[in-house]
């Protein structure tokens, strides 16, 4: 079997480490990039180099930025007194895509997990507590996963916040357009417990 040159094999191996890409899909992606090196590979390499040099975590909230303070934290119109706590940056970006939250965020960098030895000191919980005072926060919205670790983290944060701010969480239950027959028992139970008046 003919192998590709070492440089190309190295690129394939690196691409295969990306989420959602295995060795075969990485090979196809690399071949596509090489076939379009003028209008795709070269600009991609330049963009990756620029991001490698400039990307960093926001010192305030943990969002990905190219400055010490991200655009959301730097935007005074978002100083609404609300902080939405998320597990990771992907969750923050999902909330931003929805376009309904106009406050600021706090990225924990994970959830508490006894199994993986992740404790409060491993997350950005102390920084969140500091922000309650410095940013005059009135509400902490917990947008954490509906998993055991996510709920454990939510309860821990609620205890840490105490009476310094109101603590709320995202509603859980039946998604828009969802049919009961396709939902698991946990989702149906959560939806029933969170029911409200029409």
């Amino acid at each position: 079997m003919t192998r590709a040159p070492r440089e190309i094999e190295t690129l394939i191996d690196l691409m295969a480490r990306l989420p959602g890409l295995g060795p075969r899909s990485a090979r196809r992606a690399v071949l596509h990039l090489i076939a379009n090196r003028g209008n795709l590979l070269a600009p991609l390499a330049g963009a990756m180099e620029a991001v490698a040099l400039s990307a960093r975590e926001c010192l305030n909230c943990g969002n990905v930025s190219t400055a010490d303070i991200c655009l959301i934290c730097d935007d005074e119109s978002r100083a609404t007194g609300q902080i939405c706590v998320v597990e990771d940056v992907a969750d923050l970006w999902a909330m931003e895509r929805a376009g309904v939250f106009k406050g600021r965020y706090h990225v924990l960098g994970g959830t508490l997990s006894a199994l993986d030895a992740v404790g409060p000191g491993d997350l950005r919980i102390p920084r969140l507590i500091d922000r309650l005072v410095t940013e005059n926060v009135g509400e902490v919205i917990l947008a954490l996963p509906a998993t055991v670790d996510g709920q454990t983290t939510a309860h821990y944060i609620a205890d840490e916040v105490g009476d310094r701010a109101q603590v709320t969480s995202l509603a859980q239950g039946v998604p828009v357009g969802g049919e009961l027959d396709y939902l698991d028992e946990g989702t149906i139970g959560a939806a029933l417990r969170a029911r409200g008046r029409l």
Side-chain angles (χ1 to χ4, degrees), residues 19-111:
L21 289 181
R24 292 178 120 183
S25 52
R27 186 171 299 279
R28 282 194 299 273
V30 168
L31 289 173
H32 180 75
L33 288 169
I34 292 170
N36 296 284
R37 64 180 152 269
N39 62 2
L40 192 55
L41 182 59
L44 177 64
M48 290 179 80
E49 182 179 8
V51 169
L53 294 173
S54 64
R56 62 192 70 162
E57 288 181 352
C58 173
L59 297 175
N60 197 42
C61 73
N63 188 13
V64 173
S65 181
T66 55
D68 287 337
I69 302 297
C70 73
L71 295 173
I72 294 172
C73 288
D74 202 36
D75 184 351
E76 281 304 313
S77 71
R78 298 193 74 143
T80 63
Q82 294 179 315
I83 289 182
C84 181
V85 178
V86 294
E87 179 181 5
D88 56 34
V89 174
D91 296 334
L92 185 156
W93 290 359
M95 293 287 291
E96 281 296 284
R97 277 195 311 273
V100 293
F101 180 66
K102 302 303 180 194
R104 291 183 174 160
Y105 295 93
H106 190 82
V107 180
L108 291 177
T111 54

Side-chain angles (χ1 to χ4, degrees), residues 74-186:
D74 202 36
D75 184 351
E76 281 304 313
S77 71
R78 298 193 74 143
T80 63
Q82 294 179 315
I83 289 182
C84 181
V85 178
V86 294
E87 179 181 5
D88 56 34
V89 174
D91 296 334
L92 185 156
W93 290 359
M95 293 287 291
E96 281 296 284
R97 277 195 311 273
V100 293
F101 180 66
K102 302 303 180 194
R104 291 183 174 160
Y105 295 93
H106 190 82
V107 180
L108 291 177
T111 54
L112 297 174
S113 173
L115 193 60
D116 298 321
V118 178
D122 300 310
L123 304 176
R124 292 188 193 93
I125 295 173
R127 176 69 188 126
L128 171 64
I129 302 306
D130 291 342
R131 291 181 68 192
L132 297 180
V133 175
T134 59
E135 297 182 31
N136 196 25
V137 174
E139 182 183 11
V140 174
I141 303 166
L142 301 176
L144 298 172
T147 61
V148 171
D149 290 344
Q151 296 308 301
T152 301
T153 306
H155 289 294
Y156 180 86
I157 291 172
D159 288 344
E160 288 295 300
V161 170
D163 59 2
R164 288 177 272 215
Q166 178 184 11
V167 179
T168 60
S169 65
L170 297 183
Q172 298 173 358
V174 180
V176 174
E179 296 182 34
L180 291 180
D181 190 37
Y182 294 103
L183 301 177
D184 63 274
E185 293 80 8

